[in-house]
Amino acid sequence: MVAAVVLSGGGSLGAVQVGMLLALFDAKVTADLYVGSSVGALNAAYMAGHPDAAGADQLARIWTTLRREDVFPTDAVRVLRAMIGRTTALADPRPLRQLVRRNLDYERLEEAAKKVVVVATDVLTGTEVALGAGPVVDAVMASAALPSVFPAVTIGPRLLMDGGVVNNTPISVARQLGADTIYVLPTGYACALEEPPRSALEMGIHAVTLAIQQRLIADVAAMQGSMDLRVAPPLCPLAVSPIDFAHTALLIERARRATARWLEQPLAADQASNLALHENHASAAIAATRGSR
């Protein structure tokens, strides 16, 4: 039997996955395989190198120190260069690359303590590329290379961008790799924003999280009858933008508590039932910040 953890993309909402991982270890649930896309690739690569409760604790500490500038650094000069076609990216990828390199203690994907695969997209063909070998930092950066935000990454003969373009929650990849039981850890989306996103970056990434959720709903509905699929419920209500890193500790704690409750309950026959897009009032999100779900 092979157990896999699949981690989706979602910007700063990747902190939600950390709380879910902590809850899985609290319940003695372990994985043989980690599969991730976009920010889920960062979390997957870290956990594959530190596949225990102590590793999840350390990942939580890393997340609580992050600032937007560590992941999405932008400035007026770079934005202007992007507008006139001098660069394809609004954000400088170097801080994120340094962050990844600093926190991964293995060089190649195949050297991780547990098997890990990250998903990227071939820029020229639009096909899915599952990376399970080769330099880990390049693979993670390719999987997280959100179009227009980060530059695409060249690996071998291919130019690669964010895996979320073709398969943001790569359940199918885990299945192809032989997983029998698959825990899906979605980042969710902001269902209770007080106002629409104001910046181009914020609007773009918010739109991506909505697309991610729609694809996840369809994938779970199509696959749940053919495998042991266990989808952790996303946080709701949620009023945190996917480029807002000021609330990571709260997101981690909320997700840990919510996932612990989910693990204690019988598995629902319809795993897609709590994933539908919806709207919450801002007052519900304010209540959530005070400790409720």
Side-chain angles (χ1 to χ4, degrees):
M1 300 291 288
V2 176
V5 169
V6 173
L7 301 105
S8 70
S12 64
L13 302 183
V16 171
Q17 294 173 338
V18 181
M20 293 173 171
L21 286 163
L22 288 166
L24 290 180
F25 282 110
D26 290 341
K28 311 301 182 187
V29 175
T30 58
D32 306 294
L33 166 67
Y34 289 90
V35 182
S37 186
S38 201
V39 74
L42 280 74
N43 286 336
Y46 187 88
M47 288 310 306
H50 307 81
D52 53 24
D57 285 335
Q58 180 58 27
L59 183 59
R61 285 190 286 272
I62 293 168
W63 267 93
T64 56
T65 67
L66 293 181
R67 305 167 301 162
R68 174 178 164 177
E69 293 76 17
D70 298 323
V71 182
F72 299 118
T74 58
D75 58 66
V77 173
R78 192 168 187 92
V79 171
L80 179 60
R81 283 173 55 82
M83 290 177 62
I84 63 177
R86 295 294 181 87
T87 178
T88 60
L90 293 170
D92 184 349
R94 289 174 296 182
L96 180 58
R97 177 175 283 272
Q98 292 166 2
L99 176 70
V100 174
R101 176 68 281 161
R102 186 167 62 247
N103 289 290
L104 294 181
D105 56 7
Y106 59 100
E107 296 292 328
R108 298 179 63 83
L109 287 161
E110 62 267 34
E111 295 171 352
K114 295 289 186 178
K115 185 172 180 61
V116 57
V117 173
V118 302
V119 174
T121 302
D122 188 303
V123 172
L124 296 181
T125 66
T127 55
E128 174 186 296
V129 180
L131 300 167
V136 61
V137 176
D138 287 347
V140 169
M141 291 300 296
S143 183
L146 188 65
S148 298
V149 178
F150 293 119
V153 177
T154 299
I155 297 181
R158 286 173 159 164
L159 185 64
L160 302 176
M161 62 182 174
D162 197 301
V165 173
V166 291
N167 197 355
N168 191 76
T169 311
I171 300 167
S172 57
V173 174
R175 184 59 173 165
Q176 289 164 11
L177 291 169
D180 305 293
T181 301
I182 301 175
Y183 287 87
V184 180
L185 307 187
T187 56
Y189 69 101
C191 61
L193 289 176
E194 295 183 16
E195 58 184 15
R198 289 178 291 181
S199 72
L201 178 61
E202 187 175 357
M203 178 63 82
I205 298 181
H206 176 64
V208 167
T209 63
L210 295 176
I212 287 167
Q213 191 72 7
Q214 291 279 32
R215 168 70 187 266
L216 176 60
I217 294 167
D219 285 352
V220 170
M223 298 180 189
Q224 62 185 350
S226 62
M227 64 185 77
D228 184 358
L229 193 60
R230 307 180 181 202
V231 184
L235 286 184
C236 179
L238 184 60
V240 178
S241 160
I243 65 168
D244 182 355
F245 289 83
H247 306 284
T248 54
L250 174 64
L251 293 178
I252 290 168
E253 184 54 34
R254 281 186 63 197
R256 187 176 194 170
R257 293 198 307 267
T259 306
R261 291 194 293 271
W262 169 69
L263 288 167
E264 292 170 353
Q265 300 169 0
L267 190 66
D270 181 7
Q271 289 289 288
S273 60
N274 57 4
L275 297 174
L277 294 179
H278 60 279
E279 179 183 4
N280 273 295
H281 295 297
S283 58
I286 292 171
T289 65
R290 296 173 179 167
S292 64
R293 181 182 182 276

